[in-house]
Amino acid sequence: MSEEQAIQAVVHLYVDGMTFAHEAALRKAFHPKACIIGNFSGKVEWLSLDEFISAVVSEGAAPAGTQPPIDIEALDVTGDAATVKVVDEFAGMRFSDYLSLLKTNGRWMIVSKLYHLHS
């Protein structure tokens, strides 16, 4: 598997984890110290991974068989660092997510998520 394919697999794990409120998938996709940042409801939202997972789980899972929309618009890799721009949907909202990933101990993990909520 190429580095790009490994990164795409992490992105898909992240989107599936959000779609189906799957905590274990999200914990596998993200570094434990990851932060999630964006403007939400008129203010800056700055979440820890635990806060983010709690918010996702509280929304509940999409129905079985749901195919989460995902569009990886950009992917850039330099050594053990990567960035991905992905457009996805969660809880009826459309987001552009800017994910920073780090390869550590042989696997890619999301270390930060900066998002834009489309109106």
Side-chain angles (χ1 to χ4, degrees):
M1 178 182 299
S2 72
E3 297 295 353
E4 289 83 3
Q5 290 170 321
I7 291 164
Q8 289 174 358
V10 172
V11 173
H12 282 274
L13 183 65
Y14 150 65
V15 172
D16 286 347
M18 279 199 318
T19 301
F20 300 108
H22 193 257
E23 180 176 346
L26 292 170
R27 291 202 184 276
K28 186 174 181 185
F30 282 86
H31 186 278
K33 292 186 178 180
C35 54
I36 293 80
I37 307 156
N39 288 308
F40 192 80
S41 297
K43 63 181 181 185
V44 174
E45 179 177 68
W46 198 300
L47 303 175
S48 69
L49 180 59
D50 288 340
E51 291 166 329
F52 173 66
I53 289 173
S54 178
V56 168
V57 170
S58 73
E59 283 294 327
T66 298
Q67 193 70 333
I70 178 173
D71 182 20
I72 296 175
E73 293 188 345
L75 191 156
D76 183 60
V77 184
T78 305
D80 60 1
T83 58
V84 176
K85 178 183 178 187
V86 60
V87 177
D88 52 53
E89 291 182 13
F90 175 71
M93 298 173 282
R94 186 167 179 252
F95 292 88
S96 288
D97 294 332
Y98 296 85
L99 307 174
S100 296
L101 294 92
L102 179 68
K103 188 173 186 180
T104 180
N105 297 322
R107 70 182 196 92
W108 290 96
M109 300 176 78
I110 301 167
V111 294
S112 71
K113 168 186 163 175
L114 177 65
Y115 69 83
H116 168 75
L117 173 59
H118 295 264
S119 50

